[in-house]
């Protein structure tokens, strides 16, 4: 059985802990289609739009630690993952977000109670769209992560500090 889940990301290792928690707490034989989504505003410039590349935009937002942690999780939980991809949401309104969810057949949105750290000036928080959507939202309590000496590093994906709740 497959289930499509969406997880908002800010391209930090901490945002991947939501995914790790979901997969680590999966006791069923469910396989997941996972969409890691980031909100980005598009430029109004015709020239920028003509040469726009989603792959280049994602590459400019990610970092080596995030990519390595992404691969570690993908390999560690391979039996539970049917597909996993990073995507950008570039819409401006709730209708566009709802269409995105419907088009990607998202059944559940899983997020943490911590705010995402958006370092790019064109990035925006998806939280307001998520709150108004008709899709089931599951919030994971990130707990107290300040005690980890590796906070924000690849090693963080190996620690079990998040709790489902």
């Amino acid at each position: 059985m497959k289930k499509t889940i969406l997880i908002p990301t800010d391209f930090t290792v901490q945002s991947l802990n939501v995914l790790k928690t979901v997969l680590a707490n999966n006791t069923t034989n469910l396989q997941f289609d996972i969409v890691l989504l980031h909100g980005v505003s598009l430029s109004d410039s015709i020239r920028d739009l003509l040469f726009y590349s989603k792959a280049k935009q994602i590459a400019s937002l990610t970092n080596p630690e995030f990519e390595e942690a992404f691969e570690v999780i993908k390999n560690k939980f391979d039996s539970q993952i049917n597909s996993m991809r990073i995507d950008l949401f570039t819409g401006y309104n709730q209708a566009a977000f709802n269409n995105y969810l419907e088009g990607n057949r998202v059944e559940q949105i899983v997020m943490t109670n911590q705010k995402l750290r958006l370092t790019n000036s064109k990035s925006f928080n998806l939280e307001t769209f998520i709150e108004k959507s008709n899709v089931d939202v599951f919030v994971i309590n990130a707990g107290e992560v300040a005690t980890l000496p590796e906070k924000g590093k690849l090693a963080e994906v190996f620690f079990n500090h998040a709790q489902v709740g």
Side-chain angles (χ1 to χ4, degrees):
M1 213 168 150
K2 295 179 189 171
K3 183 176 186 176
T4 304
I5 60 171
L6 182 141
I7 299 173
T9 187
D10 58 2
F11 300 106
T12 61
V13 174
Q14 292 95 324
S15 67
L16 288 175
N17 280 323
V18 174
L19 172 60
K20 185 188 105 183
T21 302
V22 168
L23 296 172
N25 290 312
N26 179 25
T27 57
T28 64
N29 62 351
L30 270 178
Q31 278 202 320
F32 296 100
D33 291 320
I34 300 158
V35 179
L36 296 173
L37 190 65
H38 185 78
V40 177
S41 297
L42 288 179
S43 171
D44 290 338
S45 165
I46 293 174
R47 185 179 142 288
D48 290 345
L49 293 173
L50 279 173
F51 297 105
Y52 176 77
S53 166
K54 188 184 285 190
K56 286 181 184 177
Q57 180 78 39
I58 291 172
S60 73
L61 291 167
T62 61
N63 58 64
E65 281 186 339
F66 176 84
E67 292 171 2
E68 193 171 344
F70 181 84
E71 289 299 320
V72 166
I73 290 172
K74 192 161 52 168
N75 292 332
K76 184 176 182 181
F77 297 102
D78 184 50
S79 63
Q80 296 180 49
I81 299 171
N82 183 53
S83 69
M84 187 160 78
R85 65 187 171 93
I86 300 169
D87 203 2
L88 299 176
F89 175 70
T90 57
Y92 290 104
N93 57 34
Q94 188 65 44
F97 188 73
N98 291 343
N99 286 338
Y100 181 89
L101 295 176
E102 185 179 331
N104 287 282
R105 296 187 176 133
V106 174
E107 298 171 52
Q108 186 176 40
I109 299 171
V110 182
M111 54 192 287
T112 182
N113 58 351
Q114 290 181 333
K115 297 284 183 198
L116 295 178
R117 285 183 268 134
L118 305 175
T119 56
N120 188 304
S121 62
K122 294 187 179 217
S123 297
F124 61 87
N125 196 340
L126 296 169
E127 199 170 299
T128 54
F129 292 133
I130 290 170
E131 289 172 357
K132 295 176 184 175
S133 71
N134 293 331
V135 175
D136 181 36
V137 178
F138 188 75
V139 179
I140 292 177
N141 181 7
E144 189 61 44
V145 295
T147 58
L148 287 178
E150 297 87 5
K151 186 173 182 329
K153 303 294 182 195
L154 175 63
E156 186 177 354
V157 297
F158 295 106
F159 289 97
N160 191 13
H161 58 75
Q163 298 172 1
V164 176

